[in-house]
Amino acid sequence: MPEETAAEARVRVKVTRTLVRNPLVVGAVLLLAAIAFTLLGDDLSFLPFLLMLVGGWCFGFAFVNATQGIVPARNGAVLHLGVAVVLGALVAFVVEFGGDLLDPFPEAMRGIAVVLQLAAIPATGWIWLGLLSRVTDLFARRDAKKKPLPVTPDWEREEGGDGSIVRFPAIELRMRTLTQAIVGIVVVVGLLGVALLIGLDDIVMRMGPRIAIVLMGIVLGLPVYLLFMAILRRRTAQCAVAFGNDELRVRVGDQLHTIPFRRLEFLRWRCRSDYARIEVRGAGVDLSLFAGLATPPRGFSAELPAVPRRVFRRLELAGLIVEKARRDEVVTFRSASEPASRAPAH
C-alpha cells in the first residue's frame, strides 16, 4: 500500500475535524441522502434507516452542545428544557396522529415526513439524555449546599521543577473516537431495536410501530448509554500537567511525556463541561486526556483550571499562535505550520 502523502494527510485531518466539529452539516447531509433514497422508493432498507438514525442523532448532539455554550447558563438550561418538552410532545403527537394527517398529501411528501419522524427519535432521545445530565447536576448542586462546594483542581508550585503543575484524573480518549463510539452505539441500538420489533411483531402491531420504536429507544438506548459511560470511566488514570520555563510535561499514570515549547505543534485546553480536556501534539507525543468524563476525587469537580497567564507569553515567544473560543474556556495554541482551526463545537 503506498504511503500517505503530506497533502493527503492534511485532507484527511481536515475532513475528520469537519465531521467531528460540524455535526449539523453531517446530519443535514445524511438526512438529505436518506430522503433521496426514500424518494427513489428505498424507504426502510438498512442504509436509509441507518442514515436517518445517525443524521437525527447529529442534530440532537449539535443542539445539546450549543445549549452548553449559552451565557448565562440558566438561559441554556431553559432553552434545553423547552425544546426537550416540545420535541417530546411533538413526537408523541406524530406517533398518534401523524398517519391520518399525512394521508391527503402526495406520496413524496409522506416519504419525507417519515424520514424526519424517524430521525426525530434519536435526536429527541439525545436531547433528553442531555437534559437528564443537567437535572442530575442540579440535584448535585442542591446537595452541595449541605456540603462544601467541589473545587476545581488548581495549579501548584512543582516541587523540584521550574513551573506550575495541576493533577487530575482523566481518560485518554480522542474526540473523534468518542464521536465514532456514540455513532456506533446509535447504530447498534437501532439495529437491535429493529430485530426486536421484528421478533415481537404481534405486540408491535397492537401498540403501533411508531410507539414501539419510541419505547425501544428508551428501554435500549438509556441503559446502553449508561453502560458506555461506566466502561469509559473504568479507564480513568491519574494525570498531571506541568508548564515549565521552556517545556510542557504531561504525566499519564506512570508515563511522563516531555515536550519543549519550540517543538510543540498543537495544544488545546478546555476548562469545563463533559468535554473538558487537554489535547497535545509535538515531539513524537500525541495525547488527548478527557477530565470532564472522569470521576473526580471527593471534593473536586471534573474540570481543569485556566492556563496560567505566564504560559501564554512563553508559548507566544516560542512561535505559537493563540486562539480562544467559548468565553475563553477553550484555548488553542498551534504552530504556524498547523492549519488554522475553527472554534471547536464541543
Side-chain angles (χ1 to χ4, degrees):
M1 182 179 292
E3 292 186 4
E4 186 179 49
T5 66
E8 290 171 339
R10 284 196 297 270
V11 171
R12 176 178 54 78
V13 170
K14 184 175 181 180
V15 170
T16 300
R17 289 178 179 174
T18 300
L19 292 176
V20 170
R21 296 177 186 170
N22 297 285
L24 276 179
V25 175
V26 178
V29 170
L30 295 180
L31 289 186
L32 286 174
I35 289 172
F37 276 107
T38 301
L39 294 179
L40 292 173
D42 188 9
D43 52 350
L44 279 180
S45 65
F46 171 74
L47 181 57
F49 185 71
L50 177 63
L51 295 175
M52 296 173 202
L53 287 178
V54 179
W57 170 80
C58 285
F59 276 88
F61 183 65
F63 174 79
V64 172
N65 287 341
T67 60
Q68 289 179 343
I70 293 176
V71 182
R74 181 176 62 255
N75 292 350
V78 170
L79 176 62
H80 193 159
L81 174 62
V83 171
V85 171
V86 170
L87 274 181
L90 185 61
V91 168
F93 176 82
V94 169
V95 165
E96 188 65 26
F97 305 106
D100 295 336
L101 292 175
L102 290 173
D103 283 342
F105 292 94
E107 183 178 353
M109 189 171 293
R110 292 200 302 270
I112 293 173
V114 168
V115 172
L116 297 180
Q117 288 173 24
L118 292 177
I121 293 172
T124 304
W126 189 259
I127 289 171
W128 273 94
L129 282 174
L131 185 62
L132 177 63
S133 176
R134 284 183 183 270
V135 171
T136 303
D137 182 61
L138 176 63
F139 282 115
R141 291 186 183 185
R142 287 184 178 178
D143 292 341
K145 292 180 180 179
K146 304 175 184 178
K147 307 174 186 176
L149 290 174
V151 297
T152 303
D154 204 358
W155 296 100
E156 306 170 9
R157 189 68 186 173
E158 189 178 18
E159 293 182 10
D162 56 352
S164 303
I165 187 171
V166 61
R167 297 177 176 86
F168 56 92
I171 301 169
E172 189 170 354
L173 178 70
R174 299 188 186 284
M175 175 59 79
R176 63 174 176 268
T177 303
L178 176 62
T179 304
Q180 290 166 358
I182 294 173
V183 171
I185 289 172
V186 172
V187 172
V188 170
V189 170
L191 294 178
L192 183 57
V194 171
L196 286 175
L197 290 176
I198 294 172
L200 303 174
D201 183 64
D202 292 340
I203 298 174
V204 171
M205 289 299 102
R206 284 197 293 269
M207 71 171 56
R210 290 194 178 95
I211 292 178
I213 290 174
V214 173
L215 290 177
M216 287 296 174
I218 296 172
V219 172
L220 294 176
L222 183 59
V224 170
Y225 170 77
L226 296 176
L227 176 62
F228 172 64
M229 293 306 298
I231 293 173
L232 272 186
R233 284 171 176 154
R234 287 178 62 89
R235 300 173 53 191
T236 299
Q238 292 303 313
C239 303
V241 174
F243 287 101
N245 290 331
D246 54 9
E247 65 182 18
L248 169 65
R249 295 181 288 275
V250 182
R251 183 178 292 279
V252 183
D254 296 328
Q255 275 193 315
L256 177 64
H257 306 275
T258 302
I259 309 171
F261 288 161
R262 295 195 176 278
R263 296 186 62 191
L264 188 63
E265 299 170 7
F266 181 88
L267 171 65
R268 170 163 292 144
W269 189 278
R270 177 159 187 165
C271 298
R272 298 181 181 85
S273 87
D274 288 346
Y275 303 109
R277 67 190 186 278
I278 171 177
E279 298 176 39
V280 58
R281 291 197 302 272
V285 176
D286 190 353
L287 291 173
S288 177
L289 304 175
F290 272 78
L293 294 176
T295 302
R298 185 184 298 274
F300 288 88
S301 59
E303 298 177 339
L304 293 173
V307 177
R309 297 305 308 172
R310 72 175 186 87
V311 173
F312 281 81
R313 181 59 178 161
R314 292 188 180 276
L315 292 179
E316 287 174 339
L317 289 173
L320 296 170
I321 301 169
V322 181
E323 300 172 354
K324 296 182 180 180
R326 288 189 180 274
R327 310 186 304 277
D328 293 345
E329 286 183 10
V330 185
V331 180
T332 303
F333 303 89
R334 61 179 179 83
S335 66
S337 61
E338 279 283 303
S341 63
R342 283 171 285 186
H346 36 266

